[in-house]
Amino acid sequence: MSTEQMIREFFLDSFNYTLRPNQLASLAGQFRLERCGRRELLQRKGEVPSKHYIVQQGLMRLYIVDHKDREFNIMFAREGQGVCDPAFPDPTEFYLEAIEDSAVYTIELPRLEHFIQEHEIIFDLENGLRNAYRGIQNRLASLLYKPAEDNYL
C-alpha cells in the first residue's frame, strides 16, 4: 500500500474525514518511513510521546508494566493501522514495541496536530467518544476472555 493510501485510510478511520488531494499531497511529504527491529522499543514509560505511527509492515504493541513488572497489552497495531499514545505533551505510562521486524510511517505529533488545526479537520465528537468507549469495552472484554493468540489477530 502506498504512503498516500495509508494516510487516506488513517484519516478516514480515525477522523471519519476524507482528505482532499491537496491535503493528502501536503501531508504525505511530512511522513517518514522508518524501519525497526524485532523487540525494538520506540517509546518508554516516562518519555513524552513524539510521533504517530502507521504500520506499513509488521506488528506493534502498546503496553504497560505494573509495579510487579508484569506486562499488560493495551493494543496491537497491524499493517495499515495507526498507533499513538495520546498523552502528548505529557510523559507517557506506556511502552511501544515492534513485535517483529517492522516498517512504519511516522509523523511528529506537533506536525500532525498543526495540520489538523490548519485544515480545520473536525470530527463528530459525540460519535468519536462513543466509538472510543466501544473500543475500550471490546478491548477489555477481549483481554478477559479470549486466548492471547486471538488478541494478536
Side-chain angles (χ1 to χ4, degrees):
M1 186 180 296
S2 73
T3 305
E4 290 81 7
Q5 288 173 308
M6 286 213 157
I7 295 168
R8 183 183 302 114
E9 289 183 20
F10 164 71
F11 267 81
L12 193 56
D13 291 343
S14 299
F15 302 106
N16 195 28
Y17 183 84
T18 302
L19 291 169
R20 294 187 302 270
N22 65 324
Q23 292 173 322
L24 184 58
S26 169
L27 195 56
Q30 297 183 51
F31 274 85
R32 300 289 173 251
L33 183 62
E34 296 180 15
R35 302 207 178 271
C36 40
R38 180 178 183 273
R39 307 278 300 165
E40 182 176 336
L41 284 175
L42 303 173
Q43 172 183 291
R44 290 171 177 78
K45 179 181 178 177
E47 296 177 348
V48 174
S50 62
K51 297 179 183 177
H52 187 89
Y53 302 86
I54 302 175
V55 181
Q56 193 252 352
Q57 177 185 346
L59 182 67
M60 307 296 288
R61 163 176 90 124
L62 188 69
Y63 66 97
I64 194 166
V65 177
D66 73 2
H67 64 283
K68 294 182 180 180
D69 286 333
R70 294 179 299 188
E71 297 177 359
F72 294 90
N73 297 320
I74 304 302
M75 73 171 290
F76 293 94
R78 60 182 184 267
E79 295 173 7
Q81 293 182 320
V83 61
C84 173
D85 181 353
F88 175 82
D90 297 322
T92 184
E93 292 293 318
F94 301 105
Y95 294 84
L96 179 62
E97 175 186 44
I99 296 292
E100 57 193 39
D101 290 341
S102 300
V104 292
Y105 290 106
T106 66
I107 186 169
E108 299 291 325
L109 286 172
R111 286 182 183 223
L112 181 59
E113 286 186 355
H114 179 268
F115 178 85
I116 289 169
Q117 291 171 357
E118 178 182 36
H119 292 277
E120 298 177 348
I121 296 172
I122 300 170
F123 63 99
D124 183 337
L125 183 60
E126 182 180 350
N127 284 334
L129 291 173
R130 186 179 301 116
N131 289 340
Y133 180 71
R134 188 177 300 122
I136 291 169
Q137 283 182 320
N138 291 339
R139 179 70 185 134
L140 180 60
S142 178
L143 287 171
L144 291 174
Y145 73 86
K146 286 186 178 179
E149 67 182 28
D150 287 354
N151 286 314
Y152 280 93
L153 303 176

